[in-house]
Amino acid sequence: MANGSLRASAVLAAFLGFTVPLMPVQALLLKIAPKAARRFPNWYHNQVCRILGITLEIDGAVVEDAPVLLVCNHTSWLDIPVLSALAPVSFVAKLEVGGWPFVSALARLQRSVFVDRTRRQATGDAAAEIMTRLKEGDTIVLFAEGTSSDGNRVLPFKTSLFGAVSGAAAPSDPQVVVQTAAVVYTHVRGIPLTRADRPRIGWYGDMEMTSHAWGVLQSGPITVTIKVGAPVPLSEFKDRKDLALKTERAIRTDVLGILRGRPGDPGLVPVEPSQESRRQKLALPQARSEKWT
């Protein structure tokens, strides 16, 4: 425990010492060099992953020559640096994140889109911003479950979260593509995580963030596997329900393959979204269910 606390203290000090001086750099880039401001967080989060001791094992790549809606499963606050290290991205975040001390500043510097889903008009405004950003060439990350899981399952996707882009499948915007990213935390200190161990990394239910983050920093180096799906033109999806269904199936298949050590195995058949929906009330604690998104 003493060694774990020492490690956590050293990692936290290194993170703050690295991050705080760079925050005004990104703020300046946002004003004078928008293209550089898109790329800088990608470099920054690669360094953060090294500080945290996170090793990324990546299968596939986010396309660089088209605007991308990157649909992902959500397990932990670690997803933010992990996905940001994958490619230059911005996140769709719930409005409350904009009020979190320090975290809100980092989110704004990364040009996150904040959504107040309690107000229909505000949701519509956020949808318009997401579409504008996609048309400008950005890669936007959407955690389609609407909350985080324990890492052992993929929760049912919320079709309402795809409303922002459901009207984008138009001939005038053929360049927008959809990709999936299945994120699974597989090892701690080189030891494979079991089904019982994996929730120690997941941040879900009513977990308090500070104590959870401290425990994760104490645990040691972490390996995460990311399977990035092939790009599919947004115009090929009929509507938001079709988009949600097909991306959920793809992520379920990829997560199952990683968990079973059989990535890309066509013989794996994940639980269908409709079946999972019927079981979700028993799956996870629902108190304070929505995290980053």
Side-chain angles (χ1 to χ4, degrees), residues 2-14 213-220:
N3 288 339
S5 295
L6 183 62
R7 179 189 188 276
S9 298
V11 170
L12 182 59
W214 187 254
V216 170
L217 295 182
Q218 286 181 310
S219 64

Side-chain angles (χ1 to χ4, degrees), residues 216-264:
V216 170
L217 295 182
Q218 286 181 310
S219 64
I222 296 171
T223 301
V224 56
T225 298
I226 308 171
K227 175 67 170 68
V228 183
V232 178
L234 184 57
S235 57
E236 291 190 8
F237 297 94
K238 293 183 294 186
D239 52 31
R240 62 185 174 89
K241 292 184 179 181
D242 185 48
L243 177 57
L245 179 63
K246 290 178 178 177
T247 54
E248 182 176 346
R249 283 176 174 167
I251 290 178
R252 283 179 182 275
T253 300
D254 290 338
V255 167
L256 182 61
I258 295 169
L259 289 174
R260 295 191 177 180
R262 297 158 57 189

